[in-house]
Coordinates of all heavy atoms in Angstrom, one line a residue:
L455 N -14.7 23.3 8.8 CA -13.6 24.1 9.2 C -13.3 25.1 8.0 O -13.2 26.3 8.1 CB -12.4 23.4 9.5 CG -11.1 24.2 9.8 CD1 -11.4 25.2 11.0 CD2 -10.0 23.3 10.2
L456 N -13.2 24.6 6.7 CA -12.9 25.4 5.6 C -14.1 26.5 5.3 O -13.8 27.6 5.0 CB -12.7 24.6 4.4 CG -11.4 23.7 4.5 CD1 -11.3 22.7 3.2 CD2 -10.2 24.5 4.6
N457 N -15.2 26.0 5.6 CA -16.4 27.0 5.4 C -16.3 28.1 6.5 O -16.6 29.3 6.3 CB -17.8 26.2 5.6 CG -18.0 25.5 4.3 OD1 -17.7 25.9 3.2 ND2 -18.7 24.3 4.4
C458 N -15.8 27.7 7.7 CA -15.6 28.7 8.8 C -14.6 29.8 8.3 O -14.7 31.0 8.4 CB -15.2 28.1 10.0 SG -16.4 27.1 10.8
Y459 N -13.5 29.3 7.7 CA -12.4 30.1 7.2 C -13.0 31.1 6.2 O -12.6 32.3 6.1 CB -11.3 29.4 6.7 CG -10.4 28.8 7.7 CD1 -9.8 27.5 7.6 CD2 -10.0 29.4 8.9 CE1 -9.0 26.8 8.5 CE2 -9.2 28.8 9.8 CZ -8.7 27.5 9.7 OH -7.9 27.0 10.5
T460 N -13.7 30.5 5.2 CA -14.2 31.3 4.1 C -15.3 32.3 4.7 O -15.4 33.4 4.2 CB -14.8 30.4 3.1 OG1 -15.8 29.6 3.6 CG2 -13.7 29.6 2.5
K461 N -16.1 31.9 5.6 CA -17.1 32.9 6.2 C -16.4 34.0 6.8 O -16.8 35.1 6.8 CB -18.0 32.1 7.1 CG -18.9 31.1 6.5 CD -19.9 31.7 5.6 CE -20.9 30.6 5.0 NZ -21.9 31.1 4.0
L462 N -15.3 33.6 7.6 CA -14.5 34.7 8.3 C -13.6 35.5 7.4 O -13.1 36.5 7.8 CB -13.7 34.1 9.4 CG -14.4 33.4 10.6 CD1 -13.5 32.7 11.5 CD2 -15.3 34.5 11.4
K463 N -13.5 35.0 6.2 CA -12.6 35.6 5.2 C -11.2 35.7 5.7 O -10.5 36.7 5.6 CB -13.1 36.9 4.7 CG -14.5 37.0 4.1 CD -14.9 38.2 3.5 CE -16.2 38.2 2.9 NZ -16.4 37.2 1.9
D464 N -10.8 34.7 6.5 CA -9.5 34.6 7.1 C -8.5 33.9 6.2 O -8.2 32.7 6.4 CB -9.6 33.9 8.5 CG -8.4 34.2 9.3 OD1 -7.4 34.6 8.7 OD2 -8.4 33.9 10.5
S465 N -8.0 34.6 5.2 CA -7.1 33.9 4.2 C -5.8 33.5 4.9 O -5.2 32.5 4.5 CB -6.8 34.9 3.1 OG -8.0 35.3 2.4
S466 N -5.3 34.2 5.9 CA -4.1 33.9 6.4 C -4.2 32.5 7.2 O -3.4 31.6 7.1 CB -3.6 34.9 7.5 OG -4.5 35.1 8.4
K467 N -5.3 32.4 7.9 CA -5.5 31.1 8.6 C -5.7 30.0 7.6 O -5.3 28.8 7.9 CB -6.7 31.2 9.6 CG -6.5 32.0 10.9 CD -5.6 31.1 11.8 CE -5.5 31.8 13.2 NZ -4.7 31.0 14.1
L468 N -6.5 30.3 6.6 CA -6.8 29.3 5.6 C -5.4 28.9 4.9 O -5.2 27.6 4.8 CB -7.6 29.9 4.5 CG -8.1 29.0 3.3 CD1 -8.8 27.7 3.9 CD2 -9.0 29.7 2.4
E469 N -4.5 29.8 4.6 CA -3.3 29.3 4.0 C -2.5 28.5 5.0 O -1.8 27.5 4.7 CB -2.5 30.6 3.6 CG -3.1 31.2 2.3 CD -2.1 32.3 1.8 OE1 -0.9 32.2 2.2 OE2 -2.6 33.1 0.9
E470 N -2.5 29.0 6.3 CA -1.7 28.3 7.3 C -2.2 26.8 7.5 O -1.4 26.0 7.6 CB -1.8 29.0 8.6 CG -1.0 28.4 9.7 CD -1.2 29.1 11.1 OE1 -1.9 30.2 11.1 OE2 -0.9 28.5 12.1
F471 N -3.5 26.7 7.4 CA -4.1 25.3 7.5 C -3.6 24.4 6.3 O -3.2 23.3 6.6 CB -5.6 25.5 7.6 CG -6.3 24.1 7.7 CD1 -6.3 23.4 8.8 CD2 -7.0 23.6 6.6 CE1 -7.0 22.1 8.9 CE2 -7.6 22.4 6.6 CZ -7.5 21.7 7.7
I472 N -3.8 24.9 5.2 CA -3.6 24.0 4.0 C -2.1 23.8 3.7 O -1.8 22.8 3.1 CB -4.3 24.5 2.7 CG1 -3.6 25.8 2.2 CG2 -5.8 24.6 2.9 CD1 -4.2 26.4 0.9
K473 N -1.3 24.8 4.2 CA 0.1 24.6 4.0 C 1.0 23.9 5.1 O 2.1 23.7 5.1 CB 0.8 26.0 3.8 CG 0.3 26.7 2.5 CD 1.0 27.9 2.3 CE 0.6 28.6 0.9 NZ 1.2 29.9 0.6
T474 N 0.1 23.5 6.1 CA 0.7 22.7 7.3 C 1.2 21.3 6.8 O 0.5 20.8 6.0 CB -0.3 22.6 8.4 OG1 -0.8 24.0 8.8 CG2 0.4 22.0 9.7
S475 N 2.2 20.9 7.3 CA 2.8 19.6 6.8 C 1.8 18.5 7.3 O 1.1 18.7 8.3 CB 4.1 19.3 7.5 OG 4.1 19.3 8.9
E476 N 1.8 17.4 6.7 CA 0.9 16.2 6.9 C 1.2 15.7 8.3 O 0.3 15.0 8.9 CB 1.0 15.2 5.9 CG 0.5 15.7 4.5 CD 0.6 14.5 3.5 OE1 0.5 13.4 3.9 OE2 0.8 14.8 2.3
S477 N 2.5 15.8 8.7 CA 2.8 15.3 10.1 C 2.1 16.0 11.3 O 2.0 15.5 12.3 CB 4.3 15.2 10.3 OG 4.8 16.5 10.2
E478 N 1.7 17.3 10.9 CA 1.1 18.1 11.9 C -0.5 18.1 11.8 O -1.1 18.1 12.9 CB 1.6 19.5 11.8 CG 3.1 19.6 12.0 CD 3.6 21.1 11.8 OE1 2.7 22.0 11.8 OE2 4.8 21.3 11.8
V479 N -1.0 18.2 10.6 CA -2.5 18.2 10.5 C -2.9 17.1 9.5 O -2.3 17.0 8.4 CB -2.9 19.6 10.0 CG1 -4.4 19.6 9.8 CG2 -2.6 20.6 11.0
H480 N -3.9 16.3 9.8 CA -4.4 15.3 9.0 C -5.9 15.7 8.6 O -6.6 16.0 9.4 CB -4.4 14.0 9.6 CG -3.0 13.5 9.9 ND1 -2.2 12.8 8.9 CD2 -2.3 13.7 11.0 CE1 -1.0 12.5 9.5 NE2 -1.1 13.0 10.8
F481 N -6.2 15.7 7.3 CA -7.5 16.0 6.9 C -7.8 15.5 5.6 O -6.8 15.1 4.8 CB -7.8 17.6 6.9 CG -6.9 18.3 6.0 CD1 -7.2 18.5 4.6 CD2 -5.7 18.9 6.4 CE1 -6.3 19.3 3.8 CE2 -4.8 19.6 5.6 CZ -5.2 19.8 4.3
D482 N -9.0 15.4 5.2 CA -9.5 14.8 3.9 C -9.2 15.8 2.8 O -9.8 16.8 2.7 CB -10.9 14.4 4.0 CG -11.4 13.6 2.8 OD1 -11.4 14.3 1.6 OD2 -11.6 12.4 2.9
V483 N -8.0 15.6 2.1 CA -7.7 16.6 1.0 C -8.7 16.8 0.0 O -8.9 17.9 -0.4 CB -6.3 16.1 0.5 CG1 -5.9 17.1 -0.6 CG2 -5.3 16.0 1.6
E484 N -9.3 15.7 -0.4 CA -10.2 16.0 -1.6 C -11.4 16.8 -1.2 O -11.9 17.6 -1.9 CB -10.7 14.5 -2.0 CG -11.6 14.6 -3.3 CD -11.9 13.2 -3.9 OE1 -11.2 12.2 -3.3 OE2 -12.6 13.0 -4.8
T485 N -11.9 16.6 0.1 CA -13.0 17.4 0.6 C -12.6 18.8 0.7 O -13.4 19.7 0.4 CB -13.5 16.9 2.0 OG1 -13.8 15.5 1.9 CG2 -14.5 17.7 2.6
A486 N -11.3 19.0 1.1 CA -10.9 20.4 1.3 C -10.9 21.1 -0.1 O -11.2 22.3 -0.3 CB -9.5 20.5 1.9
I487 N -10.4 20.4 -1.1 CA -10.3 20.9 -2.5 C -11.7 21.3 -2.9 O -11.9 22.4 -3.5 CB -9.6 19.9 -3.4 CG1 -8.1 19.8 -3.0 CG2 -9.7 20.4 -4.8 CD1 -7.5 18.6 -3.8
K488 N -12.7 20.4 -2.7 CA -14.0 20.6 -3.2 C -14.6 22.0 -2.5 O -15.2 22.7 -3.2 CB -14.9 19.5 -2.9 CG -14.7 18.2 -3.6 CD -15.6 17.1 -3.2 CE -15.3 15.9 -4.0 NZ -16.1 14.7 -3.6
V489 N -14.4 22.1 -1.2 CA -14.9 23.2 -0.5 C -14.3 24.5 -1.0 O -14.9 25.5 -1.2 CB -14.7 23.0 1.1 CG1 -15.2 24.3 1.8 CG2 -15.5 21.8 1.5
L490 N -12.9 24.5 -1.1 CA -12.2 25.7 -1.6 C -12.7 26.1 -2.9 O -12.8 27.2 -3.3 CB -10.8 25.4 -1.5 CG -10.1 25.3 -0.1 CD1 -8.7 24.8 -0.2 CD2 -10.2 26.7 0.6
R491 N -12.8 25.1 -3.8 CA -13.3 25.4 -5.2 C -14.7 26.0 -5.2 O -14.9 26.9 -5.9 CB -13.3 24.1 -6.0 CG -13.7 24.3 -7.5 CD -13.7 23.0 -8.2 NE -14.0 23.3 -9.6 CZ -14.5 22.3 -10.4 NH1 -14.8 21.1 -10.0 NH2 -14.7 22.6 -11.7
Q492 N -15.6 25.4 -4.4 CA -16.9 25.9 -4.3 C -17.0 27.3 -3.7 O -17.8 28.1 -4.2 CB -17.8 25.0 -3.5 CG -19.3 25.3 -3.4 CD -20.0 24.3 -2.6 OE1 -19.5 23.4 -2.0 NE2 -21.3 24.4 -2.6
A493 N -16.1 27.7 -2.8 CA -16.0 29.0 -2.3 C -15.3 30.0 -3.1 O -15.2 31.2 -2.7 CB -15.4 29.0 -0.8
G494 N -14.7 29.5 -4.2 CA -14.0 30.4 -5.0 C -12.6 30.7 -4.7 O -11.9 31.6 -5.4
Y495 N -12.0 29.9 -3.8 CA -10.6 30.0 -3.5 C -9.8 29.0 -4.4 O -9.3 28.1 -4.0 CB -10.4 29.8 -2.0 CG -10.8 30.8 -1.0 CD1 -12.2 30.9 -0.7 CD2 -10.0 31.6 -0.4 CE1 -12.6 31.9 0.2 CE2 -10.4 32.6 0.4 CZ -11.7 32.7 0.8 OH -12.1 33.7 1.7
Y496 N -9.7 29.5 -5.7 CA -9.2 28.5 -6.6 C -7.7 28.4 -6.5 O -7.1 27.3 -6.6 CB -9.4 29.1 -8.1 CG -10.9 29.2 -8.4 CD1 -11.4 30.4 -8.9 CD2 -11.8 28.1 -8.2 CE1 -12.8 30.6 -9.1 CE2 -13.1 28.3 -8.5 CZ -13.7 29.5 -9.0 OH -14.9 29.6 -9.2
S497 N -6.9 29.5 -6.1 CA -5.5 29.4 -6.0 C -5.2 28.4 -4.8 O -4.2 27.6 -4.8 CB -4.9 30.7 -5.7 OG -5.4 31.4 -4.5
H498 N -6.0 28.5 -3.7 CA -5.7 27.6 -2.5 C -6.0 26.2 -2.9 O -5.3 25.2 -2.6 CB -6.6 28.0 -1.4 CG -6.2 29.4 -0.8 ND1 -6.6 30.5 -1.4 CD2 -5.6 29.7 0.3 CE1 -6.2 31.6 -0.7 NE2 -5.5 31.2 0.3
A499 N -7.1 26.0 -3.7 CA -7.5 24.6 -4.1 C -6.4 24.1 -5.0 O -6.1 22.9 -4.9 CB -8.9 24.7 -4.8
V500 N -5.9 24.9 -5.9 CA -4.9 24.4 -6.9 C -3.6 24.0 -6.1 O -2.9 23.0 -6.3 CB -4.6 25.5 -7.9 CG1 -3.3 25.1 -8.6 CG2 -5.7 25.5 -8.9
Y501 N -3.3 24.9 -5.1 CA -2.1 24.6 -4.3 C -2.2 23.2 -3.6 O -1.2 22.4 -3.5 CB -1.8 25.7 -3.3 CG -0.8 25.4 -2.3 CD1 0.6 25.6 -2.5 CD2 -1.2 24.8 -1.0 CE1 1.6 25.2 -1.6 CE2 -0.2 24.5 0.0 CZ 1.1 24.7 -0.4 OH 2.1 24.3 0.6
L502 N -3.4 23.0 -3.0 CA -3.6 21.8 -2.2 C -3.5 20.6 -3.1 O -3.0 19.6 -2.9 CB -5.0 21.9 -1.5 CG -5.1 21.1 -0.2 CD1 -4.1 21.5 0.8 CD2 -6.5 21.4 0.4
A503 N -4.2 20.7 -4.3 CA -4.2 19.6 -5.3 C -2.8 19.3 -5.7 O -2.5 18.1 -5.8 CB -5.2 20.0 -6.4
E504 N -2.1 20.2 -6.0 CA -0.6 20.0 -6.5 C 0.2 19.5 -5.4 O 1.0 18.6 -5.7 CB -0.1 21.4 -7.0 CG 1.3 21.1 -7.6 CD 1.9 22.5 -8.2 OE1 1.3 23.5 -8.0 OE2 3.0 22.4 -8.9
K505 N 0.1 19.9 -4.2 CA 0.9 19.5 -3.1 C 0.6 18.1 -2.8 O 1.5 17.2 -2.5 CB 0.6 20.3 -1.9 CG 1.3 19.9 -0.6 CD 1.0 20.8 0.6 CE 1.6 20.2 1.9 NZ 1.2 21.0 3.0
H506 N -0.7 17.6 -2.8 CA -1.0 16.3 -2.5 C -1.2 15.3 -3.7 O -1.8 14.2 -3.6 CB -2.3 16.3 -1.6 CG -2.1 17.0 -0.3 ND1 -1.6 16.3 0.9 CD2 -2.4 18.2 0.1 CE1 -1.6 17.1 1.9 NE2 -2.0 18.3 1.5
E507 N -0.9 15.9 -4.8 CA -0.8 15.1 -6.1 C -2.3 14.6 -6.5 O -2.4 13.5 -6.9 CB 0.2 13.9 -5.9 CG 1.6 14.4 -5.8 CD 2.5 13.2 -5.8 OE1 2.1 12.0 -5.8 OE2 3.8 13.5 -5.8
H508 N -3.3 15.4 -6.2 CA -4.6 15.2 -6.8 C -4.6 15.7 -8.2 O -5.2 16.9 -8.4 CB -5.6 15.8 -5.9 CG -5.8 15.0 -4.6 ND1 -6.9 14.1 -4.4 CD2 -5.0 14.8 -3.5 CE1 -6.8 13.6 -3.2 NE2 -5.6 13.9 -2.6
H509 N -4.1 15.1 -9.1 CA -3.9 15.6 -10.5 C -5.3 16.0 -11.2 O -5.4 17.0 -11.8 CB -3.2 14.6 -11.3 CG -1.9 14.2 -10.7 ND1 -0.9 15.0 -10.2 CD2 -1.4 12.9 -10.4 CE1 0.1 14.3 -9.7 NE2 -0.2 13.0 -9.7
E510 N -6.1 15.1 -11.0 CA -7.5 15.3 -11.7 C -8.1 16.7 -11.2 O -8.6 17.5 -12.0 CB -8.4 14.2 -11.4 CG -8.0 12.9 -12.1 CD -9.0 11.7 -11.9 OE1 -10.1 12.1 -11.4 OE2 -8.6 10.6 -12.2
W511 N -8.1 16.9 -9.8 CA -8.7 18.1 -9.3 C -7.8 19.3 -9.8 O -8.4 20.4 -10.1 CB -8.7 18.1 -7.8 CG -9.9 17.3 -7.3 CD1 -9.8 16.1 -6.7 CD2 -11.2 17.7 -7.3 NE1 -11.1 15.6 -6.4 CE2 -12.0 16.6 -6.8 CE3 -11.9 18.8 -7.8 CZ2 -13.4 16.7 -6.6 CZ3 -13.3 18.8 -7.7 CH2 -14.0 17.8 -7.1
Y512 N -6.5 19.2 -9.8 CA -5.7 20.3 -10.3 C -6.1 20.7 -11.7 O -6.3 21.9 -12.0 CB -4.2 19.9 -10.1 CG -3.3 21.0 -10.6 CD1 -2.7 21.9 -9.7 CD2 -2.9 21.1 -12.0 CE1 -1.9 22.9 -10.2 CE2 -2.0 22.1 -12.4 CZ -1.5 23.0 -11.5 OH -0.7 23.9 -11.9
L513 N -6.1 19.8 -12.6 CA -6.4 20.0 -14.0 C -7.9 20.5 -14.2 O -8.1 21.4 -15.0 CB -6.2 18.7 -14.8 CG -4.8 18.3 -14.9 CD1 -4.6 16.9 -15.6 CD2 -3.9 19.4 -15.6
K514 N -8.7 19.9 -13.3 CA -10.1 20.4 -13.5 C -10.4 21.8 -13.1 O -11.0 22.6 -13.8 CB -11.1 19.5 -12.6 CG -12.5 19.8 -12.7 CD -13.3 18.8 -11.9 CE -13.1 17.4 -12.3 NZ -14.0 16.5 -11.5
I515 N -9.6 22.3 -12.0 CA -9.7 23.7 -11.6 C -9.0 24.6 -12.6 O -9.6 25.7 -12.9 CB -9.1 23.8 -10.2 CG1 -10.0 23.0 -9.2 CG2 -9.1 25.3 -9.8 CD1 -9.4 22.9 -7.8
Q516 N -7.9 24.2 -13.0 CA -7.2 25.0 -13.9 C -7.8 25.2 -15.2 O -7.9 26.3 -15.8 CB -5.8 24.3 -14.3 CG -4.7 24.5 -13.1 CD -4.1 25.9 -13.0 OE1 -4.6 26.8 -13.5 NE2 -3.0 25.9 -12.4
L517 N -8.5 24.1 -15.8 CA -9.2 24.2 -17.1 C -10.6 24.8 -17.0 O -11.0 25.5 -17.9 CB -9.2 22.8 -17.7 CG -7.8 22.2 -18.0 CD1 -7.9 20.8 -18.4 CD2 -7.1 23.0 -19.0
E518 N -11.3 24.4 -15.9 CA -12.7 24.7 -16.0 C -13.0 26.1 -15.2 O -13.9 26.8 -15.5 CB -13.6 23.7 -15.3 CG -13.5 22.3 -16.0 CD -14.3 21.2 -15.4 OE1 -15.0 21.6 -14.4 OE2 -14.2 20.1 -15.8
D519 N -12.1 26.4 -14.2 CA -12.3 27.6 -13.4 C -11.3 28.7 -13.7 O -11.7 29.8 -14.0 CB -12.3 27.2 -11.9 CG -13.3 26.2 -11.5 OD1 -14.4 26.2 -12.0 OD2 -12.9 25.2 -10.7
I520 N -10.0 28.4 -13.7 CA -9.1 29.5 -13.9 C -8.9 29.6 -15.3 O -8.5 30.7 -15.8 CB -7.7 29.0 -13.2 CG1 -8.0 28.8 -11.7 CG2 -6.7 30.1 -13.4 CD1 -6.8 28.4 -10.9
K521 N -9.0 28.6 -16.1 CA -8.9 28.5 -17.6 C -7.4 28.9 -18.0 O -7.2 29.6 -18.9 CB -9.9 29.5 -18.3 CG -11.3 29.2 -18.0 CD -12.3 30.0 -18.8 CE -13.7 29.7 -18.4 NZ -14.0 28.2 -18.6
N522 N -6.6 28.4 -17.2 CA -5.1 28.5 -17.5 C -4.7 27.3 -18.3 O -4.1 26.4 -17.7 CB -4.3 28.7 -16.2 CG -2.9 29.1 -16.4 OD1 -2.3 29.0 -17.6 ND2 -2.2 29.7 -15.5
Y523 N -4.9 27.3 -19.5 CA -4.7 26.0 -20.3 C -3.2 25.8 -20.5 O -2.7 24.6 -20.5 CB -5.3 26.1 -21.7 CG -6.8 26.5 -21.6 CD1 -7.3 27.9 -21.9 CD2 -7.7 25.5 -21.3 CE1 -8.6 28.1 -21.9 CE2 -9.0 25.9 -21.2 CZ -9.5 27.2 -21.4 OH -10.8 27.5 -21.4
Q524 N -2.4 26.8 -20.6 CA -0.9 26.6 -20.8 C -0.3 26.0 -19.5 O 0.5 25.0 -19.6 CB -0.3 28.0 -21.0 CG 1.1 27.8 -21.5 CD 1.2 27.4 -22.9 OE1 0.4 27.8 -23.8 NE2 2.2 26.5 -23.2
E525 N -0.8 26.4 -18.4 CA -0.2 25.9 -17.1 C -0.7 24.4 -16.8 O 0.1 23.5 -16.4 CB -0.7 26.8 -15.9 CG -0.1 26.3 -14.6 CD 1.4 26.4 -14.5 OE1 2.0 27.3 -15.2 OE2 2.0 25.6 -13.9
A526 N -1.9 24.2 -17.2 CA -2.4 22.8 -17.2 C -1.7 21.9 -18.0 O -1.3 20.7 -17.7 CB -3.9 22.7 -17.5
L527 N -1.4 22.3 -19.2 CA -0.6 21.5 -20.2 C 0.8 21.2 -19.7 O 1.4 20.1 -19.8 CB -0.5 22.1 -21.6 CG 0.0 21.2 -22.7 CD1 -0.8 20.1 -22.9 CD2 0.2 22.1 -24.0
H528 N 1.4 22.2 -19.1 CA 2.7 22.1 -18.5 C 2.8 21.1 -17.4 O 3.6 20.4 -17.2 CB 3.2 23.5 -18.1 CG 4.6 23.5 -17.4 ND1 5.7 23.2 -18.1 CD2 5.0 23.6 -16.1 CE1 6.8 23.2 -17.3 NE2 6.3 23.6 -16.0
Y529 N 1.7 21.2 -16.5 CA 1.6 20.3 -15.5 C 1.5 18.8 -15.8 O 2.1 18.0 -15.3 CB 0.3 20.7 -14.6 CG 0.1 19.9 -13.4 CD1 0.8 20.1 -12.2 CD2 -0.7 18.8 -13.4 CE1 0.6 19.5 -11.0 CE2 -1.0 18.1 -12.2 CZ -0.3 18.5 -11.0 OH -0.5 17.7 -9.8

Side-chain angles (χ1 to χ4, degrees):
L455 176 59
L456 293 174
N457 282 327
C458 289
Y459 285 140
T460 56
K461 294 290 183 183
L462 293 172
K463 299 187 182 303
D464 193 345
S465 298
S466 60
K467 283 286 186 181
L468 181 59
E469 285 192 20
E470 180 183 351
F471 176 76
I472 66 174
K473 292 182 179 180
T474 306
S475 64
E476 294 183 29
S477 59
E478 298 178 12
V479 178
H480 296 272
F481 57 89
D482 189 288
V483 176
E484 187 170 357
T485 300
I487 295 172
K488 290 180 181 178
V489 174
L490 292 171
R491 184 190 183 196
Q492 185 177 5
Y495 286 81
Y496 300 129
S497 60
H498 296 78
V500 164
Y501 170 82
L502 208 55
E504 183 176 9
K505 176 182 177 182
H506 295 275
E507 297 184 351
H508 284 254
H509 309 307
E510 295 183 7
W511 280 108
Y512 179 92
L513 294 172
K514 187 178 293 186
I515 297 171
Q516 287 282 22
L517 296 174
E518 298 178 7
D519 301 318
I520 304 177
K521 300 188 183 304
N522 191 342
Y523 306 105
Q524 193 72 40
E525 184 62 32
L527 189 66
H528 177 68
Y529 183 82

